[in-house]
Amino acid sequence: MPYSGVINKYLEYLPFKEDVQPVTLLEGNTPLLEADNLRKELDAPCKIFLKFEGANPTGSFKDRGMTVAITEAVRKKAEAVICASTGNTSASAAAYAAKAGLQAFVILPKGKIAIGKLAQALIYGAKVIEIDGNFDDALRIVREIGDKTNVEIVNSINPFRIEGQKTASFEIIETLGTSPTHHSLPVGNAGNITAYWKGYKEWASRKHTPLPKMLGFQAEGSAPIVHGKIVEHPETVATAIRIGNPASWKQAVQALDESKGQISIATDSEILEAQRLIARTEGIFCEPASASSVAGLIKLIREGYFTVKDVVVCTLTGNGLKDPDTASRGIAAPLSAPASLLEVLNLMNIK
Ligand code: F0G
């Protein structure tokens, strides 16, 4: 049977009946790549796999949750959908709403959204409202609108989003034949780490697979869970995880405790270095927030945390093409030459 999206693939694990009519862009089924070059470069004892969620239709993992949340919004006959976002949720909500013929509203922190993500929300036809505030302010406003109107919230506080996102764990277990020993993720609003853990636990209870340890990473200037304290003015180059008061804080702590995992920080420069390393060694261009999963992994490798028995999956949550500005700032500019064969050969330094 041709692949038909995460709802059809994992229907028995989702809160829908057989007659569900999925709103899908054929999300999911993303590559799980063994990162042998990266392993050698880092001299890592463990195996490393990268789950490249940037290969989803709108370029991030949000599509797995959005197909489920928008399908439910249509079933409930919601008037429209709304989300607060650091960019990817809004791109995904706008795309799935377009496919469903629903109006999407998105509330964004002004000036803090990567250019590609903003372009996506606009071209998919969402009504975009930028506020003078951060993501946490935007989510507060969205919650109030959800309470007062028939507009459906499609942030990850909507449980249908978590249901969809947990399917990434299923794919990983199916590809590896078992669970990894560790799973590393960037943490922003903390919905995704909550969803992965739910997925691993549900699969384990049905198929007796082992449970991995969950490893979460927050950016240094936006690390409320690490410090156990709301960050009033979160800052990081990884704008996707620029969040000071995560909605799924409690659930994330539960996932970390239950799995005997841990959460720690990655600095902006470690994040950007990891982003370039992943691109140069493995041929994958992910966005800065995504690279924090590998930046964190690198630290743990250096601390001697892993053994040869370990198999680590890092989720690369979003596509680097969404934020070309940040990526190009840290790399060498192109060489330039007159339109002459000799000059070009000279620059190539090849005889
Ligand atoms: N990576 C990327 C690329 C993201 O866009 C996000 C969250 C995360 C990681 C963190 O996931 O919030 O579930 O802990 N982006 C949200 C958004 C907040 O609005 O697009 P999380």
Side-chain angles (χ1 to χ4, degrees), residues 52-70:
F52 186 43
E53 289 289 279
N56 275 299
T58 78
S60 86
F61 70 96
K62 307 284 179 179
D63 294 347
R64 293 179 185 276
M66 209 53 76
T67 179
V68 175
I70 299 286

Side-chain angles (χ1 to χ4, degrees), residues 61-62 84-89 135 186-192 240-241 243 287 289-290 317-318:
F61 70 96
K62 307 284 179 179
S85 185
T86 56
N88 281 322
T89 299
F135 171 84
V187 175
N189 211 26
N192 212 27
I241 50 171
I243 294 176
E287 62 172 290
S290 310
T317 46

Side-chain angles (χ1 to χ4, degrees), residues 59-62 83-92 107-109 113 117 135 155-156 161-162 165 185-195 217-218 225 238-243 246-248 252 286-292 315-319 322:
S60 86
F61 70 96
K62 307 284 179 179
C83 65
S85 185
T86 56
N88 281 322
T89 299
S90 55
S92 185
I107 317 290
L108 306 175
I113 302 294
K117 300 175 188 177
F135 171 84
N155 280 102
S156 57
R161 278 277 312 280
I162 304 292
Q165 283 170 214
L185 282 166
V187 175
N189 211 26
N192 212 27
I193 194 164
T194 302
F217 295 97
Q218 299 196 292
I225 302 180
T239 52
I241 50 171
R242 185 176 167 271
I243 294 176
S248 299
C286 67
E287 62 172 290
S290 310
S292 62
T315 299
L316 302 180
T317 46
N319 199 306
K322 287 168 174 272

Side-chain angles (χ1 to χ4, degrees), residues 126-142:
K127 189 163 273 184
V128 176
I129 302 167
E130 296 184 317
I131 59 159
D132 289 319
N134 59 31
F135 171 84
D136 306 291
D137 300 316
L139 186 58
R140 179 173 37 80
I141 293 168
V142 163

Side-chain angles (χ1 to χ4, degrees), residues 113-229:
I113 302 294
I115 186 172
K117 300 175 188 177
L118 188 56
Q120 284 183 288
L122 291 167
I123 202 160
Y124 294 134
K127 189 163 273 184
V128 176
I129 302 167
E130 296 184 317
I131 59 159
D132 289 319
N134 59 31
F135 171 84
D136 306 291
D137 300 316
L139 186 58
R140 179 173 37 80
I141 293 168
V142 163
R143 282 182 195 267
E144 285 179 33
I145 294 171
D147 284 346
K148 289 190 169 67
T149 67
N150 187 28
V151 176
E152 183 81 350
I153 299 176
V154 292
N155 280 102
S156 57
I157 54 174
N158 177 333
F160 286 83
R161 278 277 312 280
I162 304 292
E163 290 299 311
Q165 283 170 214
K166 76 185 179 189
T167 60
S169 301
F170 301 165
E171 286 178 14
I172 290 166
I173 297 172
E174 288 191 306
T175 308
L176 295 178
T178 184
S179 315
T181 59
H182 298 78
H183 193 119
S184 175
L185 282 166
V187 175
N189 211 26
N192 212 27
I193 194 164
T194 302
Y196 269 93
W197 182 238
K198 187 167 198 285
Y200 281 123
K201 281 202 300 188
E202 286 183 11
W203 201 272
S205 77
R206 290 189 190 209
K207 316 241 167 151
H208 310 291
T209 41
L211 291 168
K213 290 187 165 62
M214 302 302 291
L215 307 173
F217 295 97
Q218 299 196 292
E220 189 179 31
S222 306
I225 302 180
V226 175
H227 299 306
K229 189 160 117 235

